[in-house]
Amino acid sequence: MPMRGISKFFAVVLLIIAVVVSALLVAAAYTEYLSPAHVALPALLGLVFPILAVCAIILFIGLLLLCPKYALVPLGALLLSIPALWQYFPINFGKEHIDTNRGTFTLLSYNVYYFKDTEKEPGADEVAYNRTLQNIIDYNADIVVLQEIGGYFGVHKRNKITQSQIDIINKRYPHRILQNSLLLLSKYPAQTIYDTRYTETASTVVYKVNIEGREVSIFNNHLESIGLNSEDKKLYVALATHPDSVSEKVSEIKGFTKKFLHAFEARATQVEAVDAVADSIGGNIIMCGDINDTPNSYAYHTLKTGREDAFLQLGTGPGFTYRADGMWVRIDHIFYEGDFTARALKKGNKRYSDHYPIWVEFEWDE
């Protein structure tokens, strides 16, 4: 076969693949509008949206070299997917905090994974204090919302939570509320105005915080997790590193998939309930925590609608907040609405928990 014929053949093969990938990409980009409570399967497609986007980019480059007119297929799909691509990968270079002499307050949201130290870097075992808690102390946020606390917060020898660390927290944050494994630490007066436990591991607590005469309702969420056990995580890593082993693990994959679908369905109900509570409260609202779902998911879409996403406004890149067992995702979010604006954001880079913290500085609008 002449060289030109070989190139044409490969271009056609790539075009067929591009058509399939492009169709899946566009579908995945808009699954956030479908409630998994009604049909859960499309949510799985939304979960692999970033992978499909990367494949579309590679196919676009390949077809551009072989047959430019065919490259319009993946290019068109990418253009149609721009809203979802932006949610996954915003670009906000050069957005510096501007001092307008208005009042500000800071908030830190962090899933602390029961204060276990998951990152065993050299010398970590010799550290005589809990590094996750020290991370919180170092941020010195005005308001701290934490998830996965457990039923107790205090000195803990096994986790190296020291009395001196607790003393600092107690002095700095006179207002502390521990409910449903969720903890609020606040420099300002606060009280619980709503709390619910959906399941053993999923809860929402809403606090009314009085910030120098202005009230803000802060939602601390830890929504339904997938509930993967150690065997599930091993399976995920095995499939990610050896995709050719799929045919050998069909039964395990079915059980694995059911856990994802169940979590999608549960979160759909939970976020609708959270959104309804927020609408009934109104006023200044900060919706934060570990929602256990990615951008362009139904959970993310529901909580973001009518609100600002601080990371989309100020962050750059994928902003992964969870990195463990081969999974790199952004599942911790801070949404808000009301008489203030996010002016500065930091995503932590010290993964002592299996999550990274998110710190935001808000500025009152007047």
Side-chain angles (χ1 to χ4, degrees):
M1 184 182 291
M3 186 61 67
R4 186 173 181 179
I6 293 174
S7 298
K8 184 69 174 178
F9 172 77
F10 279 115
V12 171
V13 170
L14 283 182
L15 175 62
I16 294 171
I17 296 172
V19 169
V20 174
V21 170
S22 297
L24 291 174
L25 176 65
V26 174
Y30 294 95
T31 55
E32 65 181 86
Y33 295 96
L34 298 175
S35 171
H38 303 306
V39 53
L41 205 56
L44 283 175
L45 185 61
L47 200 61
V48 297
F49 171 79
I51 298 173
L52 292 169
V54 171
C55 290
I57 292 170
I58 293 172
L59 288 165
F60 168 71
I61 295 171
L63 287 170
L64 195 62
L65 296 174
L66 292 173
C67 186
K69 66 178 180 180
Y70 290 170
L72 293 174
V73 173
L75 177 61
L78 288 166
L79 291 175
L80 288 172
S81 303
I82 283 177
L85 289 169
W86 177 259
Q87 287 178 169
Y88 265 95
F89 203 104
I91 300 173
N92 290 294
F93 294 123
K95 285 198 172 183
E96 300 294 337
H97 174 73
I98 300 173
D99 184 7
T100 59
N101 295 317
R102 294 173 183 164
T104 65
F105 65 95
T106 56
L107 179 141
L108 179 74
S109 179
Y110 197 3
N111 182 322
V112 297
Y113 190 44
Y114 308 105
F115 290 102
K116 298 176 183 178
D117 195 336
T118 62
E119 189 172 272
K120 296 302 181 184
E121 58 192 25
D125 291 334
E126 283 69 47
V127 175
Y129 55 86
N130 186 274
R131 300 192 301 166
T132 301
L133 184 54
Q134 192 60 43
N135 206 14
I136 295 167
I137 292 170
D138 292 343
Y139 271 102
N140 191 24
D142 296 322
I143 301 166
V144 179
V145 286
L146 306 177
Q147 303 86 45
E148 290 198 335
I149 294 293
Y152 167 79
F153 177 67
V155 176
H156 194 295
K157 290 184 178 180
R158 187 177 63 185
N159 287 346
K160 299 181 180 179
I161 297 179
T162 67
Q163 184 63 58
S164 62
Q165 287 182 308
I166 294 299
D167 289 343
I168 292 171
I169 291 292
N170 290 344
K171 182 178 180 180
R172 182 178 295 172
Y173 300 106
H175 308 282
R176 303 179 297 278
I177 302 174
L178 174 58
Q179 290 173 268
N180 299 336
S181 198
L182 304 174
L183 177 63
L184 171 78
L185 304 172
S186 177
K187 297 178 181 180
Y188 305 109
Q191 61 178 323
T192 300
I193 59 173
Y194 175 86
D195 74 278
T196 186
R197 181 183 287 273
Y198 311 108
T199 63
E200 186 178 346
T201 59
S203 304
T204 293
V205 178
V206 186
Y207 320 100
K208 184 73 75 175
V209 181
N210 189 313
I211 304 176
E212 298 177 341
R214 307 190 195 211
E215 290 188 336
V216 180
S217 299
I218 298 178
F219 284 64
N220 191 356
N221 297 298
H222 184 254
L223 303 187
E224 197 73 24
S225 64
I226 301 167
L228 301 182
N229 57 34
S230 58
E231 293 303 314
D232 294 326
K233 292 174 182 178
K234 288 179 183 176
L235 174 63
Y236 172 81
V237 173
L239 293 174
T241 54
H242 301 285
D244 56 321
S245 65
V246 170
S247 59
E248 303 169 6
K249 303 179 183 294
V250 174
S251 60
E252 294 98 322
I253 292 172
K254 286 182 179 179
F256 186 75
T257 302
K258 284 181 180 178
K259 289 187 177 183
F260 274 90
L261 295 177
H262 170 75
F264 287 134
E265 292 171 2
R267 280 195 298 272
T269 302
Q270 292 164 11
V271 296
E272 288 169 0
V274 169
D275 191 50
V277 171
D279 287 343
S280 68
I281 293 173
N284 296 319
I285 286 176
I286 299 177
M287 185 82 65
C288 54
D290 176 7
I291 72 169
N292 270 307
D293 227 332
T294 58
N296 96 309
S297 66
Y298 179 77
Y300 175 92
H301 171 77
T302 301
L303 296 183
K304 181 181 177 297
T305 300
R307 304 181 183 99
E308 299 289 348
D309 177 352
F311 188 81
L312 286 193
Q313 284 187 308
L314 300 167
T316 294
F320 300 127
T321 62
Y322 178 88
R323 282 181 55 187
D325 305 301
M327 299 180 185
W328 294 26
V329 287
R330 186 166 91 246
I331 58 177
D332 303 84
H333 307 277
I334 297 179
F335 309 104
Y336 69 93
E337 59 180 307
D339 300 328
F340 47 83
T341 304
R343 293 301 187 196
L345 178 144
K346 297 176 185 176
K347 186 191 73 69
N349 57 10
K350 297 177 180 178
R351 192 175 58 88
Y352 304 140
S353 164
D354 56 354
H355 288 248
Y356 293 108
I358 306 176
W359 174 95
V360 175
E361 180 180 30
F362 293 100
E363 181 183 71
W364 294 105
D365 291 340
E366 57 182 38

mmCIF file of all heavy atoms in Angstrom, residues 112-118 120 124-125 127-134 148-163 165-166 352-353:
data_model
loop_
_atom_site.group_PDB
_atom_site.id
_atom_site.type_symbol
_atom_site.label_atom_id
_atom_site.label_comp_id
_atom_site.label_asym_id
_atom_site.label_seq_id
_atom_site.Cartn_x
_atom_site.Cartn_y
_atom_site.Cartn_z
ATOM 1 N N VAL A 112 -10.105 16.332 57.424
ATOM 2 C CA VAL A 112 -8.888 15.992 58.161
ATOM 3 C C VAL A 112 -8.665 14.485 58.305
ATOM 4 O O VAL A 112 -7.673 14.053 58.885
ATOM 5 C CB VAL A 112 -8.895 16.638 59.558
ATOM 6 C CG1 VAL A 112 -8.898 18.152 59.437
ATOM 7 C CG2 VAL A 112 -10.094 16.148 60.385
ATOM 8 N N TYR A 113 -9.592 13.673 57.798
ATOM 9 C CA TYR A 113 -9.454 12.214 57.808
ATOM 10 C C TYR A 113 -9.080 11.700 59.210
ATOM 11 O O TYR A 113 -8.145 10.959 59.388
ATOM 12 C CB TYR A 113 -8.421 11.772 56.775
ATOM 13 C CG TYR A 113 -8.366 10.276 56.541
ATOM 14 C CD1 TYR A 113 -9.522 9.521 56.410
ATOM 15 C CD2 TYR A 113 -7.136 9.623 56.448
ATOM 16 C CE1 TYR A 113 -9.456 8.157 56.188
ATOM 17 C CE2 TYR A 113 -7.064 8.251 56.230
ATOM 18 C CZ TYR A 113 -8.233 7.524 56.100
ATOM 19 O OH TYR A 113 -8.166 6.161 55.890
ATOM 20 N N TYR A 114 -9.843 12.163 60.196
ATOM 21 C CA TYR A 114 -9.680 11.736 61.593
ATOM 22 C C TYR A 114 -8.274 12.025 62.134
ATOM 23 O O TYR A 114 -7.798 11.359 63.039
ATOM 24 C CB TYR A 114 -10.025 10.250 61.739
ATOM 25 C CG TYR A 114 -11.374 9.921 61.153
ATOM 26 C CD1 TYR A 114 -11.472 9.250 59.923
ATOM 27 C CD2 TYR A 114 -12.537 10.319 61.788
ATOM 28 C CE1 TYR A 114 -12.720 8.975 59.366
ATOM 29 C CE2 TYR A 114 -13.787 10.042 61.233
ATOM 30 C CZ TYR A 114 -13.866 9.382 60.025
ATOM 31 O OH TYR A 114 -15.096 9.124 59.469
ATOM 32 N N PHE A 115 -7.623 13.020 61.547
ATOM 33 C CA PHE A 115 -6.287 13.458 61.955
ATOM 34 C C PHE A 115 -5.233 12.354 61.820
ATOM 35 O O PHE A 115 -4.227 12.351 62.534
ATOM 36 C CB PHE A 115 -6.298 14.007 63.385
ATOM 37 C CG PHE A 115 -7.025 15.309 63.495
ATOM 38 C CD1 PHE A 115 -8.318 15.364 63.992
ATOM 39 C CD2 PHE A 115 -6.431 16.490 63.059
ATOM 40 C CE1 PHE A 115 -9.003 16.575 64.077
ATOM 41 C CE2 PHE A 115 -7.107 17.704 63.141
ATOM 42 C CZ PHE A 115 -8.398 17.739 63.655
ATOM 43 N N LYS A 116 -5.462 11.448 60.882
ATOM 44 C CA LYS A 116 -4.428 10.462 60.578
ATOM 45 C C LYS A 116 -3.387 11.118 59.677
ATOM 46 O O LYS A 116 -3.714 11.935 58.820
ATOM 47 C CB LYS A 116 -5.035 9.251 59.857
ATOM 48 C CG LYS A 116 -6.077 8.503 60.672
ATOM 49 C CD LYS A 116 -6.691 7.377 59.848
ATOM 50 C CE LYS A 116 -7.790 6.661 60.624
ATOM 51 N NZ LYS A 116 -8.423 5.588 59.825
ATOM 52 N N ASP A 117 -2.129 10.770 59.856
ATOM 53 C CA ASP A 117 -1.048 11.316 59.030
ATOM 54 C C ASP A 117 -0.797 10.338 57.898
ATOM 55 O O ASP A 117 -0.224 9.272 58.087
ATOM 56 C CB ASP A 117 0.208 11.510 59.866
ATOM 57 C CG ASP A 117 1.228 12.407 59.176
ATOM 58 O OD1 ASP A 117 1.180 12.498 57.929
ATOM 59 O OD2 ASP A 117 2.049 13.020 59.855
ATOM 60 N N THR A 118 -1.260 10.690 56.680
ATOM 61 C CA THR A 118 -1.215 9.739 55.568
ATOM 62 C C THR A 118 0.020 9.885 54.685
ATOM 63 O O THR A 118 0.284 9.033 53.852
ATOM 64 C CB THR A 118 -2.456 9.919 54.671
ATOM 65 O OG1 THR A 118 -2.454 11.243 54.126
ATOM 66 C CG2 THR A 118 -3.727 9.711 55.466
ATOM 67 N N LYS A 120 3.808 9.789 54.449
ATOM 68 C CA LYS A 120 4.995 9.377 55.199
ATOM 69 C C LYS A 120 6.266 9.822 54.481
ATOM 70 O O LYS A 120 6.949 9.052 53.822
ATOM 71 C CB LYS A 120 4.986 7.854 55.388
ATOM 72 C CG LYS A 120 3.816 7.363 56.231
ATOM 73 C CD LYS A 120 3.812 8.001 57.614
ATOM 74 C CE LYS A 120 2.664 7.504 58.472
ATOM 75 N NZ LYS A 120 2.607 8.185 59.778
ATOM 76 N N ALA A 124 8.974 12.017 58.984
ATOM 77 C CA ALA A 124 7.628 12.267 59.499
ATOM 78 C C ALA A 124 7.387 11.539 60.813
ATOM 79 O O ALA A 124 6.714 12.056 61.703
ATOM 80 C CB ALA A 124 6.580 11.845 58.464
ATOM 81 N N ASP A 125 7.917 10.349 60.942
ATOM 82 C CA ASP A 125 7.693 9.568 62.164
ATOM 83 C C ASP A 125 8.330 10.214 63.382
ATOM 84 O O ASP A 125 7.927 9.949 64.517
ATOM 85 C CB ASP A 125 8.240 8.139 61.994
ATOM 86 C CG ASP A 125 7.418 7.339 60.995
ATOM 87 O OD1 ASP A 125 6.227 7.656 60.839
ATOM 88 O OD2 ASP A 125 7.960 6.406 60.384
ATOM 89 N N VAL A 127 8.314 13.449 63.971
ATOM 90 C CA VAL A 127 7.575 14.650 64.359
ATOM 91 C C VAL A 127 6.717 14.335 65.574
ATOM 92 O O VAL A 127 5.995 13.342 65.600
ATOM 93 C CB VAL A 127 6.685 15.153 63.199
ATOM 94 C CG1 VAL A 127 5.830 16.331 63.640
ATOM 95 C CG2 VAL A 127 7.544 15.555 62.012
ATOM 96 N N ALA A 128 6.785 15.193 66.581
ATOM 97 C CA ALA A 128 6.138 14.898 67.869
ATOM 98 C C ALA A 128 4.768 15.546 68.021
ATOM 99 O O ALA A 128 4.255 15.659 69.130
ATOM 100 C CB ALA A 128 7.053 15.347 69.005
ATOM 101 N N TYR A 129 4.171 15.999 66.927
ATOM 102 C CA TYR A 129 2.856 16.637 66.994
ATOM 103 C C TYR A 129 2.060 16.235 65.762
ATOM 104 O O TYR A 129 2.614 15.699 64.788
ATOM 105 C CB TYR A 129 2.988 18.156 67.069
ATOM 106 C CG TYR A 129 3.805 18.749 65.939
ATOM 107 C CD1 TYR A 129 3.217 19.064 64.718
ATOM 108 C CD2 TYR A 129 5.183 18.969 66.081
ATOM 109 C CE1 TYR A 129 3.966 19.573 63.674
ATOM 110 C CE2 TYR A 129 5.936 19.486 65.041
ATOM 111 C CZ TYR A 129 5.319 19.785 63.842
ATOM 112 O OH TYR A 129 6.063 20.289 62.810
ATOM 113 N N ASN A 130 0.772 16.495 65.787
ATOM 114 C CA ASN A 130 -0.071 16.157 64.652
ATOM 115 C C ASN A 130 0.071 17.209 63.558
ATOM 116 O O ASN A 130 -0.235 18.389 63.774
ATOM 117 C CB ASN A 130 -1.538 16.050 65.090
ATOM 118 C CG ASN A 130 -2.429 15.563 63.963
ATOM 119 O OD1 ASN A 130 -2.899 16.346 63.149
ATOM 120 N ND2 ASN A 130 -2.657 14.273 63.913
ATOM 121 N N ARG A 131 0.526 16.796 62.403
ATOM 122 C CA ARG A 131 0.823 17.751 61.336
ATOM 123 C C ARG A 131 -0.434 18.309 60.672
ATOM 124 O O ARG A 131 -0.444 19.442 60.198
ATOM 125 C CB ARG A 131 1.739 17.089 60.307
ATOM 126 C CG ARG A 131 3.063 16.629 60.916
ATOM 127 C CD ARG A 131 4.066 16.241 59.869
ATOM 128 N NE ARG A 131 3.591 15.158 59.016
ATOM 129 C CZ ARG A 131 4.162 14.804 57.866
ATOM 130 N NH1 ARG A 131 5.235 15.459 57.438
ATOM 131 N NH2 ARG A 131 3.693 13.804 57.153
ATOM 132 N N THR A 132 -1.502 17.525 60.636
ATOM 133 C CA THR A 132 -2.756 18.032 60.082
ATOM 134 C C THR A 132 -3.293 19.171 60.934
ATOM 135 O O THR A 132 -3.680 20.233 60.418
ATOM 136 C CB THR A 132 -3.806 16.911 60.004
ATOM 137 O OG1 THR A 132 -3.314 15.853 59.175
ATOM 138 C CG2 THR A 132 -5.118 17.427 59.421
ATOM 139 N N LEU A 133 -3.315 18.972 62.248
ATOM 140 C CA LEU A 133 -3.798 20.024 63.145
ATOM 141 C C LEU A 133 -2.873 21.236 63.114
ATOM 142 O O LEU A 133 -3.324 22.385 63.165
ATOM 143 C CB LEU A 133 -3.918 19.484 64.570
ATOM 144 C CG LEU A 133 -4.513 20.442 65.608
ATOM 145 C CD1 LEU A 133 -5.864 20.974 65.149
ATOM 146 C CD2 LEU A 133 -4.642 19.756 66.959
ATOM 147 N N GLN A 134 -1.563 20.995 63.008
ATOM 148 C CA GLN A 134 -0.617 22.109 62.934
ATOM 149 C C GLN A 134 -0.836 22.922 61.662
ATOM 150 O O GLN A 134 -0.684 24.151 61.651
ATOM 151 C CB GLN A 134 0.822 21.588 62.988
ATOM 152 C CG GLN A 134 1.858 22.676 63.200
ATOM 153 C CD GLN A 134 1.641 23.432 64.509
ATOM 154 O OE1 GLN A 134 1.370 22.817 65.539
ATOM 155 N NE2 GLN A 134 1.760 24.755 64.465
ATOM 156 N N GLU A 148 -14.866 14.796 58.817
ATOM 157 C CA GLU A 148 -14.277 13.534 59.277
ATOM 158 C C GLU A 148 -13.442 13.732 60.547
ATOM 159 O O GLU A 148 -12.260 13.418 60.605
ATOM 160 C CB GLU A 148 -13.454 12.867 58.164
ATOM 161 C CG GLU A 148 -14.326 12.332 57.036
ATOM 162 C CD GLU A 148 -13.621 11.308 56.155
ATOM 163 O OE1 GLU A 148 -12.379 11.319 56.063
ATOM 164 O OE2 GLU A 148 -14.332 10.481 55.555
ATOM 165 N N ILE A 149 -14.111 14.232 61.570
ATOM 166 C CA ILE A 149 -13.478 14.450 62.866
ATOM 167 C C ILE A 149 -13.574 13.209 63.741
ATOM 168 O O ILE A 149 -12.664 12.870 64.484
ATOM 169 C CB ILE A 149 -14.166 15.636 63.595
ATOM 170 C CG1 ILE A 149 -13.916 16.937 62.847
ATOM 171 C CG2 ILE A 149 -13.662 15.748 65.036
ATOM 172 C CD1 ILE A 149 -12.481 17.384 62.850
ATOM 173 N N GLY A 150 -14.711 12.500 63.636
ATOM 174 C CA GLY A 150 -15.019 11.455 64.597
ATOM 175 C C GLY A 150 -15.844 12.059 65.725
ATOM 176 O O GLY A 150 -16.310 13.197 65.638
ATOM 177 N N GLY A 151 -16.009 11.337 66.811
ATOM 178 C CA GLY A 151 -16.850 11.827 67.894
ATOM 179 C C GLY A 151 -16.107 12.568 68.978
ATOM 180 O O GLY A 151 -16.699 12.961 69.989
ATOM 181 N N TYR A 152 -14.799 12.782 68.777
ATOM 182 C CA TYR A 152 -13.983 13.389 69.834
ATOM 183 C C TYR A 152 -12.937 14.298 69.225
ATOM 184 O O TYR A 152 -12.347 13.990 68.185
ATOM 185 C CB TYR A 152 -13.307 12.279 70.653
ATOM 186 C CG TYR A 152 -12.201 12.754 71.563
ATOM 187 C CD1 TYR A 152 -12.498 13.348 72.785
ATOM 188 C CD2 TYR A 152 -10.858 12.607 71.205
ATOM 189 C CE1 TYR A 152 -11.485 13.787 73.636
ATOM 190 C CE2 TYR A 152 -9.837 13.033 72.047
ATOM 191 C CZ TYR A 152 -10.155 13.621 73.252
ATOM 192 O OH TYR A 152 -9.152 14.058 74.091
ATOM 193 N N PHE A 153 -12.714 15.439 69.865
ATOM 194 C CA PHE A 153 -11.633 16.324 69.442
ATOM 195 C C PHE A 153 -10.876 16.775 70.678
ATOM 196 O O PHE A 153 -11.397 17.500 71.521
ATOM 197 C CB PHE A 153 -12.187 17.552 68.698
ATOM 198 C CG PHE A 153 -11.122 18.536 68.309
ATOM 199 C CD1 PHE A 153 -10.165 18.200 67.355
ATOM 200 C CD2 PHE A 153 -11.060 19.792 68.899
ATOM 201 C CE1 PHE A 153 -9.176 19.107 67.000
ATOM 202 C CE2 PHE A 153 -10.073 20.698 68.547
ATOM 203 C CZ PHE A 153 -9.128 20.349 67.590
ATOM 204 N N GLY A 154 -9.655 16.325 70.795
ATOM 205 C CA GLY A 154 -8.833 16.656 71.951
ATOM 206 C C GLY A 154 -7.491 15.958 71.859
ATOM 207 O O GLY A 154 -7.105 15.450 70.796
ATOM 208 N N VAL A 155 -6.779 15.914 72.952
ATOM 209 C CA VAL A 155 -5.469 15.266 72.989
ATOM 210 C C VAL A 155 -5.612 13.805 72.564
ATOM 211 O O VAL A 155 -6.529 13.106 73.020
ATOM 212 C CB VAL A 155 -4.859 15.340 74.401
ATOM 213 C CG1 VAL A 155 -3.544 14.576 74.452
ATOM 214 C CG2 VAL A 155 -4.643 16.801 74.798
ATOM 215 N N HIS A 156 -4.743 13.366 71.670
ATOM 216 C CA HIS A 156 -4.822 12.002 71.138
ATOM 217 C C HIS A 156 -3.394 11.499 70.939
ATOM 218 O O HIS A 156 -2.695 11.937 70.025
ATOM 219 C CB HIS A 156 -5.582 12.008 69.809
ATOM 220 C CG HIS A 156 -6.022 10.659 69.338
ATOM 221 N ND1 HIS A 156 -5.142 9.658 68.983
ATOM 222 C CD2 HIS A 156 -7.264 10.141 69.173
ATOM 223 C CE1 HIS A 156 -5.819 8.599 68.595
ATOM 224 N NE2 HIS A 156 -7.118 8.855 68.704
ATOM 225 N N LYS A 157 -2.960 10.599 71.798
ATOM 226 C CA LYS A 157 -1.561 10.157 71.761
ATOM 227 C C LYS A 157 -1.208 9.444 70.463
ATOM 228 O O LYS A 157 -0.149 9.695 69.879
ATOM 229 C CB LYS A 157 -1.283 9.243 72.958
ATOM 230 C CG LYS A 157 -1.278 9.974 74.290
ATOM 231 C CD LYS A 157 -0.890 9.044 75.424
ATOM 232 C CE LYS A 157 -0.850 9.802 76.749
ATOM 233 N NZ LYS A 157 -0.477 8.918 77.878
ATOM 234 N N ARG A 158 -2.075 8.561 70.003
ATOM 235 C CA ARG A 158 -1.736 7.806 68.796
ATOM 236 C C ARG A 158 -1.599 8.715 67.586
ATOM 237 O O ARG A 158 -0.723 8.526 66.740
ATOM 238 C CB ARG A 158 -2.798 6.736 68.533
ATOM 239 C CG ARG A 158 -2.423 5.776 67.382
ATOM 240 C CD ARG A 158 -3.468 4.705 67.201
ATOM 241 N NE ARG A 158 -4.753 5.281 66.821
ATOM 242 C CZ ARG A 158 -5.871 4.583 66.691
ATOM 243 N NH1 ARG A 158 -5.883 3.286 66.962
ATOM 244 N NH2 ARG A 158 -7.002 5.171 66.334
ATOM 245 N N ASN A 159 -2.470 9.717 67.480
ATOM 246 C CA ASN A 159 -2.405 10.654 66.359
ATOM 247 C C ASN A 159 -1.512 11.865 66.646
ATOM 248 O O ASN A 159 -1.459 12.804 65.850
ATOM 249 C CB ASN A 159 -3.809 11.135 65.994
ATOM 250 C CG ASN A 159 -4.627 10.062 65.293
ATOM 251 O OD1 ASN A 159 -4.087 9.050 64.850
ATOM 252 N ND2 ASN A 159 -5.924 10.275 65.210
ATOM 253 N N LYS A 160 -0.866 11.857 67.810
ATOM 254 C CA LYS A 160 0.105 12.902 68.195
ATOM 255 C C LYS A 160 -0.514 14.289 68.326
ATOM 256 O O LYS A 160 0.153 15.302 68.119
ATOM 257 C CB LYS A 160 1.262 12.946 67.194
ATOM 258 C CG LYS A 160 2.062 11.649 67.089
ATOM 259 C CD LYS A 160 3.208 11.791 66.099
ATOM 260 C CE LYS A 160 3.999 10.504 65.981
ATOM 261 N NZ LYS A 160 5.110 10.612 65.006
ATOM 262 N N ILE A 161 -1.817 14.331 68.660
ATOM 263 C CA ILE A 161 -2.426 15.629 68.967
ATOM 264 C C ILE A 161 -2.017 15.991 70.386
ATOM 265 O O ILE A 161 -2.353 15.286 71.338
ATOM 266 C CB ILE A 161 -3.961 15.572 68.839
ATOM 267 C CG1 ILE A 161 -4.360 15.267 67.395
ATOM 268 C CG2 ILE A 161 -4.579 16.896 69.292
ATOM 269 C CD1 ILE A 161 -5.861 15.164 67.176
ATOM 270 N N THR A 162 -1.275 17.065 70.525
ATOM 271 C CA THR A 162 -0.687 17.408 71.822
ATOM 272 C C THR A 162 -1.562 18.394 72.594
ATOM 273 O O THR A 162 -2.423 19.078 72.020
ATOM 274 C CB THR A 162 0.701 18.029 71.622
ATOM 275 O OG1 THR A 162 0.555 19.296 70.964
ATOM 276 C CG2 THR A 162 1.593 17.123 70.779
ATOM 277 N N GLN A 163 -1.299 18.483 73.891
ATOM 278 C CA GLN A 163 -2.024 19.423 74.732
ATOM 279 C C GLN A 163 -1.743 20.868 74.301
ATOM 280 O O GLN A 163 -2.635 21.712 74.314
ATOM 281 C CB GLN A 163 -1.622 19.241 76.200
ATOM 282 C CG GLN A 163 -2.414 20.116 77.171
ATOM 283 C CD GLN A 163 -3.896 19.783 77.163
ATOM 284 O OE1 GLN A 163 -4.280 18.643 77.428
ATOM 285 N NE2 GLN A 163 -4.739 20.767 76.839
ATOM 286 N N GLN A 165 -1.151 21.935 71.295
ATOM 287 C CA GLN A 165 -1.941 22.231 70.103
ATOM 288 C C GLN A 165 -3.399 22.521 70.470
ATOM 289 O O GLN A 165 -3.998 23.469 69.958
ATOM 290 C CB GLN A 165 -1.871 21.057 69.115
ATOM 291 C CG GLN A 165 -0.529 20.924 68.406
ATOM 292 C CD GLN A 165 -0.528 19.779 67.407
ATOM 293 O OE1 GLN A 165 -0.881 18.647 67.750
ATOM 294 N NE2 GLN A 165 -0.151 20.075 66.180
ATOM 295 N N ILE A 166 -3.948 21.708 71.354
ATOM 296 C CA ILE A 166 -5.330 21.921 71.787
ATOM 297 C C ILE A 166 -5.475 23.249 72.516
ATOM 298 O O ILE A 166 -6.458 23.969 72.348
ATOM 299 C CB ILE A 166 -5.799 20.746 72.675
ATOM 300 C CG1 ILE A 166 -5.871 19.452 71.861
ATOM 301 C CG2 ILE A 166 -7.162 21.053 73.311
ATOM 302 C CD1 ILE A 166 -6.838 19.501 70.691
ATOM 303 N N TYR A 352 -1.173 16.050 54.610
ATOM 304 C CA TYR A 352 -1.052 15.211 55.801
ATOM 305 C C TYR A 352 -2.302 14.363 55.961
ATOM 306 O O TYR A 352 -2.242 13.204 56.344
ATOM 307 C CB TYR A 352 -0.817 16.079 57.038
ATOM 308 C CG TYR A 352 0.391 16.984 56.894
ATOM 309 C CD1 TYR A 352 0.371 18.289 57.364
ATOM 310 C CD2 TYR A 352 1.551 16.528 56.258
ATOM 311 C CE1 TYR A 352 1.478 19.123 57.232
ATOM 312 C CE2 TYR A 352 2.654 17.358 56.115
ATOM 313 C CZ TYR A 352 2.614 18.652 56.598
ATOM 314 O OH TYR A 352 3.709 19.471 56.460
ATOM 315 N N SER A 353 -3.460 14.950 55.685
ATOM 316 C CA SER A 353 -4.691 14.188 55.540
ATOM 317 C C SER A 353 -4.680 13.616 54.116
ATOM 318 O O SER A 353 -3.746 13.865 53.346
ATOM 319 C CB SER A 353 -5.891 15.114 55.739
ATOM 320 O OG SER A 353 -7.070 14.540 55.264
#
